[in-house]
Amino acid sequence: MMRRYDALKPYRPAWRAIRAALMRDPVLALSLAPALRKSMARMLEAAGISSDGLSGAVRQNGLAAIHLDVSRAFENDESGDLSKTMAALDGRLKAAVRWAQSIEKYMNFPRLGRPKSEVETPAA
């Protein structure tokens, strides 16, 4: 994702204008949402993370939220190496990993109210 911000650096004024337009025009934001999700799916796949199915859609939307949040830091990061952008991205990605790990941990729990033996062993 940092490569994306590095590539956008020369076009930062245009990026600011696009973000401002998106904030003012919800129809524009909705019309660009499919392209953003496709872009996020490609980012996930490039990182070796599946973007298929329901869990992939959740990952795409989560990464899009991270991208939109970090892009605010990018807009105001005038450093040559985009260190503020990198710090923001690193923090958001680490938080997303922690969140995903906690969700996965709870998804493996048996249903509440049912004895563990019923959940683990199939009915005859």
Side-chain angles (χ1 to χ4, degrees), residues 53-69:
L54 181 59
S55 60
V58 170
R59 287 183 193 110
Q60 290 171 28
N61 289 332
L63 191 57
I66 290 170
H67 171 63
L68 293 173
D69 189 40

PDB file of all heavy atoms in Angstrom, residues 53-69:
ATOM      1  N   GLY A  53     -15.217 -14.895  -1.496  1.00  0.00           N
ATOM      2  CA  GLY A  53     -16.283 -15.250  -0.574  1.00  0.00           C
ATOM      3  C   GLY A  53     -16.649 -14.133   0.386  1.00  0.00           C
ATOM      4  O   GLY A  53     -16.234 -12.986   0.237  1.00  0.00           O
ATOM      5  N   LEU A  54     -17.453 -14.507   1.384  1.00  0.00           N
ATOM      6  CA  LEU A  54     -17.922 -13.543   2.368  1.00  0.00           C
ATOM      7  C   LEU A  54     -16.771 -12.989   3.191  1.00  0.00           C
ATOM      8  O   LEU A  54     -16.679 -11.776   3.415  1.00  0.00           O
ATOM      9  CB  LEU A  54     -18.970 -14.189   3.285  1.00  0.00           C
ATOM     10  CG  LEU A  54     -19.571 -13.296   4.349  1.00  0.00           C
ATOM     11  CD1 LEU A  54     -20.247 -12.083   3.728  1.00  0.00           C
ATOM     12  CD2 LEU A  54     -20.563 -14.078   5.201  1.00  0.00           C
ATOM     13  N   SER A  55     -15.857 -13.861   3.624  1.00  0.00           N
ATOM     14  CA  SER A  55     -14.725 -13.377   4.420  1.00  0.00           C
ATOM     15  C   SER A  55     -13.829 -12.473   3.565  1.00  0.00           C
ATOM     16  O   SER A  55     -13.281 -11.486   4.073  1.00  0.00           O
ATOM     17  CB  SER A  55     -13.921 -14.540   4.999  1.00  0.00           C
ATOM     18  OG  SER A  55     -13.409 -15.353   3.971  1.00  0.00           O
ATOM     19  N   GLY A  56     -13.711 -12.758   2.289  1.00  0.00           N
ATOM     20  CA  GLY A  56     -12.947 -11.892   1.398  1.00  0.00           C
ATOM     21  C   GLY A  56     -13.589 -10.528   1.237  1.00  0.00           C
ATOM     22  O   GLY A  56     -12.899  -9.512   1.183  1.00  0.00           O
ATOM     23  N   ALA A  57     -14.913 -10.505   1.161  1.00  0.00           N
ATOM     24  CA  ALA A  57     -15.625  -9.223   1.062  1.00  0.00           C
ATOM     25  C   ALA A  57     -15.413  -8.392   2.321  1.00  0.00           C
ATOM     26  O   ALA A  57     -15.225  -7.171   2.242  1.00  0.00           O
ATOM     27  CB  ALA A  57     -17.111  -9.464   0.822  1.00  0.00           C
ATOM     28  N   VAL A  58     -15.406  -9.058   3.469  1.00  0.00           N
ATOM     29  CA  VAL A  58     -15.151  -8.348   4.726  1.00  0.00           C
ATOM     30  C   VAL A  58     -13.727  -7.794   4.713  1.00  0.00           C
ATOM     31  O   VAL A  58     -13.494  -6.650   5.110  1.00  0.00           O
ATOM     32  CB  VAL A  58     -15.381  -9.280   5.937  1.00  0.00           C
ATOM     33  CG1 VAL A  58     -14.895  -8.645   7.223  1.00  0.00           C
ATOM     34  CG2 VAL A  58     -16.846  -9.654   6.039  1.00  0.00           C
ATOM     35  N   ARG A  59     -12.769  -8.590   4.240  1.00  0.00           N
ATOM     36  CA  ARG A  59     -11.381  -8.127   4.152  1.00  0.00           C
ATOM     37  C   ARG A  59     -11.260  -6.939   3.196  1.00  0.00           C
ATOM     38  O   ARG A  59     -10.546  -5.977   3.475  1.00  0.00           O
ATOM     39  CB  ARG A  59     -10.476  -9.257   3.675  1.00  0.00           C
ATOM     40  CG  ARG A  59     -10.240 -10.322   4.703  1.00  0.00           C
ATOM     41  CD  ARG A  59      -9.258 -11.371   4.173  1.00  0.00           C
ATOM     42  NE  ARG A  59      -9.277 -12.524   5.028  1.00  0.00           N
ATOM     43  CZ  ARG A  59      -9.772 -13.708   4.713  1.00  0.00           C
ATOM     44  NH1 ARG A  59     -10.286 -13.910   3.519  1.00  0.00           N
ATOM     45  NH2 ARG A  59      -9.760 -14.699   5.564  1.00  0.00           N
ATOM     46  N   GLN A  60     -11.950  -7.016   2.047  1.00  0.00           N
ATOM     47  CA  GLN A  60     -11.903  -5.912   1.085  1.00  0.00           C
ATOM     48  C   GLN A  60     -12.428  -4.627   1.706  1.00  0.00           C
ATOM     49  O   GLN A  60     -11.815  -3.560   1.570  1.00  0.00           O
ATOM     50  CB  GLN A  60     -12.739  -6.252  -0.143  1.00  0.00           C
ATOM     51  CG  GLN A  60     -12.178  -7.329  -1.012  1.00  0.00           C
ATOM     52  CD  GLN A  60     -13.170  -7.768  -2.077  1.00  0.00           C
ATOM     53  OE1 GLN A  60     -14.022  -6.998  -2.501  1.00  0.00           O
ATOM     54  NE2 GLN A  60     -13.059  -9.013  -2.497  1.00  0.00           N
ATOM     55  N   ASN A  61     -13.571  -4.731   2.382  1.00  0.00           N
ATOM     56  CA  ASN A  61     -14.151  -3.543   2.998  1.00  0.00           C
ATOM     57  C   ASN A  61     -13.275  -3.013   4.122  1.00  0.00           C
ATOM     58  O   ASN A  61     -13.132  -1.796   4.290  1.00  0.00           O
ATOM     59  CB  ASN A  61     -15.555  -3.844   3.507  1.00  0.00           C
ATOM     60  CG  ASN A  61     -16.533  -4.024   2.375  1.00  0.00           C
ATOM     61  OD1 ASN A  61     -16.363  -3.471   1.295  1.00  0.00           O
ATOM     62  ND2 ASN A  61     -17.565  -4.811   2.588  1.00  0.00           N
ATOM     63  N   GLY A  62     -12.682  -3.922   4.896  1.00  0.00           N
ATOM     64  CA  GLY A  62     -11.793  -3.491   5.967  1.00  0.00           C
ATOM     65  C   GLY A  62     -10.567  -2.780   5.426  1.00  0.00           C
ATOM     66  O   GLY A  62     -10.154  -1.741   5.948  1.00  0.00           O
ATOM     67  N   LEU A  63      -9.982  -3.334   4.372  1.00  0.00           N
ATOM     68  CA  LEU A  63      -8.807  -2.704   3.774  1.00  0.00           C
ATOM     69  C   LEU A  63      -9.180  -1.367   3.135  1.00  0.00           C
ATOM     70  O   LEU A  63      -8.397  -0.411   3.197  1.00  0.00           O
ATOM     71  CB  LEU A  63      -8.162  -3.636   2.752  1.00  0.00           C
ATOM     72  CG  LEU A  63      -6.785  -3.226   2.243  1.00  0.00           C
ATOM     73  CD1 LEU A  63      -5.795  -3.066   3.391  1.00  0.00           C
ATOM     74  CD2 LEU A  63      -6.271  -4.248   1.241  1.00  0.00           C
ATOM     75  N   ALA A  64     -10.362  -1.273   2.562  1.00  0.00           N
ATOM     76  CA  ALA A  64     -10.819   0.009   2.001  1.00  0.00           C
ATOM     77  C   ALA A  64     -10.960   1.051   3.104  1.00  0.00           C
ATOM     78  O   ALA A  64     -10.563   2.216   2.923  1.00  0.00           O
ATOM     79  CB  ALA A  64     -12.138  -0.168   1.258  1.00  0.00           C
ATOM     80  N   ALA A  65     -11.483   0.650   4.252  1.00  0.00           N
ATOM     81  CA  ALA A  65     -11.608   1.581   5.380  1.00  0.00           C
ATOM     82  C   ALA A  65     -10.231   2.040   5.856  1.00  0.00           C
ATOM     83  O   ALA A  65     -10.026   3.226   6.137  1.00  0.00           O
ATOM     84  CB  ALA A  65     -12.376   0.917   6.523  1.00  0.00           C
ATOM     85  N   ILE A  66      -9.284   1.100   5.910  1.00  0.00           N
ATOM     86  CA  ILE A  66      -7.916   1.461   6.291  1.00  0.00           C
ATOM     87  C   ILE A  66      -7.329   2.438   5.276  1.00  0.00           C
ATOM     88  O   ILE A  66      -6.743   3.459   5.639  1.00  0.00           O
ATOM     89  CB  ILE A  66      -7.039   0.196   6.415  1.00  0.00           C
ATOM     90  CG1 ILE A  66      -7.459  -0.610   7.646  1.00  0.00           C
ATOM     91  CG2 ILE A  66      -5.558   0.562   6.462  1.00  0.00           C
ATOM     92  CD1 ILE A  66      -6.832  -1.989   7.723  1.00  0.00           C
ATOM     93  N   HIS A  67      -7.515   2.132   4.007  1.00  0.00           N
ATOM     94  CA  HIS A  67      -6.981   2.998   2.940  1.00  0.00           C
ATOM     95  C   HIS A  67      -7.559   4.412   3.035  1.00  0.00           C
ATOM     96  O   HIS A  67      -6.815   5.397   2.955  1.00  0.00           O
ATOM     97  CB  HIS A  67      -7.289   2.382   1.578  1.00  0.00           C
ATOM     98  CG  HIS A  67      -6.984   3.273   0.430  1.00  0.00           C
ATOM     99  ND1 HIS A  67      -5.718   3.724   0.133  1.00  0.00           N
ATOM    100  CD2 HIS A  67      -7.795   3.808  -0.515  1.00  0.00           C
ATOM    101  CE1 HIS A  67      -5.770   4.500  -0.940  1.00  0.00           C
ATOM    102  NE2 HIS A  67      -7.012   4.564  -1.344  1.00  0.00           N
ATOM    103  N   LEU A  68      -8.857   4.513   3.230  1.00  0.00           N
ATOM    104  CA  LEU A  68      -9.477   5.835   3.302  1.00  0.00           C
ATOM    105  C   LEU A  68      -9.020   6.593   4.542  1.00  0.00           C
ATOM    106  O   LEU A  68      -8.833   7.811   4.496  1.00  0.00           O
ATOM    107  CB  LEU A  68     -10.997   5.706   3.260  1.00  0.00           C
ATOM    108  CG  LEU A  68     -11.541   5.186   1.922  1.00  0.00           C
ATOM    109  CD1 LEU A  68     -13.039   4.924   2.026  1.00  0.00           C
ATOM    110  CD2 LEU A  68     -11.233   6.147   0.795  1.00  0.00           C
ATOM    111  N   ASP A  69      -8.811   5.883   5.638  1.00  0.00           N
ATOM    112  CA  ASP A  69      -8.332   6.524   6.861  1.00  0.00           C
ATOM    113  C   ASP A  69      -6.884   6.989   6.704  1.00  0.00           C
ATOM    114  O   ASP A  69      -6.547   8.125   7.047  1.00  0.00           O
ATOM    115  CB  ASP A  69      -8.476   5.548   8.029  1.00  0.00           C
ATOM    116  CG  ASP A  69      -8.209   6.202   9.363  1.00  0.00           C
ATOM    117  OD1 ASP A  69      -8.646   7.363   9.563  1.00  0.00           O
ATOM    118  OD2 ASP A  69      -7.564   5.564  10.216  1.00  0.00           O
TER     119      ASP A  69
END
